[in-house]
Amino acid sequence: MHVALTGATGFLGLRLLRRLLGTHRSVTVLAHAGSGDALHRITRYFEVTGAPQAFIARLPHRLRVVESDLALPRLGLPARTYQELADSLGAIWHSAGSINLEGDLPELRRTNVEGTRRVLELAASGRGSPVVHHVSTAFVAGARRDGVAYEDELDDTGGFENAYERSKYEAELLVRAWSREHGRPVLVLRPSILVTDLPPHPELPSHPLQVVERILRDARSTAPASPDPPGGVGASGGIAGSRPRVRTVGHPHGRLNLLQVDHAAEVMVRLAGLKPSGGVDTYHVVHDRDVPVPVVVALLERLVPIAIDLVAARPERPSALEALMEFYPGVTAYLAHRRRFDDTRVRARLGPSAVSAPVGLDYLWSGLAPRDRTRPVPLPPQIPTTVS
């Protein structure tokens, strides 16, 4: 089976590509038209992560890069090229998309909804009826902050925290409608927040929490707040001192689901190898243990010189920094979440191997703190680098 992958140069996409190259002799990478450097970026990822030289040397022979545009009909390709591509595929992995928590809905729809539509059109155009693997997000569960989110659920009754969540919800609706219309199986994979302990590197995609750090740091420098009063204490329990105190809505017993990106990619590829039901099979690719919100707060306080207080309601008289942070609701809204993502189906299909190692403050800090970038970081264990 020949496979195509969108988003192959992204944070998750690179890990999916690594796994797919362990099970397929070749992969077609649908890269954004005009970038011209997809193969170079992929190669650098494998070099930085210490892949064997023999494996790296074969990448140009195992990867077919097709520059395309998910915003255009036929992906912006000539009709003959498009049809040849569609006819050659046995599976399509759709991992491309925008994760901009601060983006507006029209912009995110163009990328996340219309991009999905173009991928589904490609899948419907091929003689081989390729299977679609759609990477969604567990956060299609929306703004419901308590209870349990189940894998079969997909509704908007609770609203959404931001336009990103809504755009991914709408993309899933599109996938379900396409599956019914064409009578074709689709695998929908819903990861939670993906993290890594791989140190930051200028040639690798940013860790999702690096985006949060940048937003908080920019807000801190733009609108410095007044220092805490003497003896002020942040949510992590440390003395705030000269750090500006920021009050933000959150729950001291809240929790967030953070999952190692390499483990997520492994689980996704293994799920794709199972026999489909014939309809839409949806899986929560999540950690079995949530990270307490105070741990996340402690991480943010370590990254940015602020002291965070979790409060039940928005301050009536916000400081300049607190007012500025109100413009970034996608960043802080999740500090009030206490819900759990049910992953019974994943555990039933994959057994104990679906369980991931713990994610704690030290692990998260390792993926965000600057390190010596001259040393390659080894690949995770049990990653095949060749196809037998």
Side-chain angles (χ1 to χ4, degrees):
M1 178 188 295
H2 190 67
V3 300
L5 171 65
T6 71
T9 59
F11 184 69
L12 171 62
L14 285 165
R15 277 77 177 185
L16 284 174
L17 180 61
R18 174 192 290 166
R19 293 285 175 178
L20 292 172
L21 287 172
T23 55
H24 296 79
R25 293 189 181 278
S26 62
V27 175
T28 292
V29 171
L30 299 179
H32 185 66
S35 61
D37 63 349
L39 181 59
H40 172 72
R41 292 164 66 186
I42 291 168
T43 300
R44 284 298 294 146
Y45 166 72
F46 284 106
E47 289 173 346
V48 168
T49 53
Q53 285 301 313
F55 172 81
I56 294 172
R58 285 193 49 78
L59 285 175
H61 307 287
R62 301 185 63 192
L63 298 179
R64 176 194 178 195
V65 178
V66 177
E67 292 199 359
S68 52
D69 191 335
L70 294 180
L72 298 176
R74 294 201 314 263
L75 307 184
L77 299 172
R80 181 173 179 178
T81 303
Y82 180 80
Q83 193 59 52
E84 289 175 349
L85 171 65
D87 291 340
S88 71
L89 299 177
I92 302 174
W93 283 80
H94 182 39
S95 179
S98 172
I99 59 171
N100 181 9
L101 298 182
E102 315 310 325
D104 59 40
L105 188 56
E107 169 200 346
L108 287 161
R109 277 176 172 156
R110 282 193 296 272
T111 304
N112 294 341
V113 181
E114 295 309 310
T116 299
R117 189 188 308 278
R118 300 306 181 194
V119 168
L120 294 173
E121 289 172 353
L122 175 66
S125 300
R127 292 180 301 188
S129 299
V131 179
V132 174
H133 308 308
H134 175 70
V135 178
S136 182
T137 174
F139 292 89
V140 294
R144 185 182 55 178
R145 297 181 174 182
D146 301 289
V148 180
Y150 293 95
E151 291 165 306
D152 284 330
E153 292 179 330
L154 185 65
D155 67 73
D156 61 351
T157 54
F160 298 96
E161 298 286 14
N162 47 58
Y164 164 72
E165 290 183 352
R166 176 173 286 281
S167 71
K168 296 297 284 187
Y169 161 81
E170 292 179 0
E172 273 205 42
L173 290 180
L174 196 64
V175 166
R176 290 191 179 197
W178 182 89
S179 176
R180 289 193 300 269
E181 178 184 353
H182 294 272
R184 298 266 295 277
V186 176
L187 179 67
V188 174
L189 301 158
R190 292 179 180 169
S192 56
I193 301 170
L194 299 179
V195 294
T196 182
D197 62 349
L198 182 69
H201 192 283
E203 294 181 88
L204 298 184
S206 295
H207 187 307
L209 292 182
Q210 283 181 272
V211 178
V212 178
E213 176 191 3
R214 175 185 54 78
I215 291 174
L216 293 178
R217 194 173 293 278
D218 288 349
R220 168 69 177 86
S221 62
T222 302
S226 300
D228 271 343
V233 180
S236 65
I239 299 299
S242 62
R243 292 179 170 222
R245 166 173 282 179
V246 175
R247 295 164 295 175
T248 186
V249 175
H251 200 290
H253 301 298
R255 54 180 181 254
L256 288 175
N257 197 280
L258 308 178
L259 179 66
Q260 297 94 332
V261 64
D262 292 289
H263 183 76
E266 176 194 358
V267 168
M268 289 179 181
V269 173
R270 290 180 61 197
L271 290 171
L274 302 176
K275 184 178 180 180
S277 68
V280 177
D281 295 323
T282 306
Y283 294 95
H284 278 156
V285 182
V286 298
H287 207 293
D288 62 307
R289 284 159 287 182
D290 294 321
V291 175
V293 161
V295 172
V296 178
V297 169
L299 176 69
L300 297 177
E301 290 184 333
R302 186 181 290 188
L303 289 168
V304 184
I306 58 176
I308 299 174
D309 272 344
L310 299 178
V311 295
R314 293 176 180 176
E316 292 184 4
R317 300 177 62 184
S319 67
L321 178 54
E322 290 167 344
L324 186 59
M325 286 178 61
E326 286 295 318
F327 287 101
Y328 304 107
V331 174
T332 57
Y334 299 108
L335 298 179
H337 281 221
R338 289 184 292 168
R339 70 185 173 201
R340 180 176 66 85
F341 297 109
D342 178 71
D343 64 339
T344 301
R345 185 176 294 156
V346 173
R347 289 184 283 110
R349 301 301 299 272
L350 299 185
S353 62
V355 177
S356 181
V359 171
L361 181 58
D362 289 342
Y363 178 93
L364 295 170
W365 177 249
S366 295
L368 293 166
R371 296 283 185 85
D372 181 0
R373 291 169 175 166
T374 63
R375 297 182 181 180
V377 178
L379 290 168
Q382 301 178 350
I383 301 290
T385 56
T386 60
V387 178
S388 59

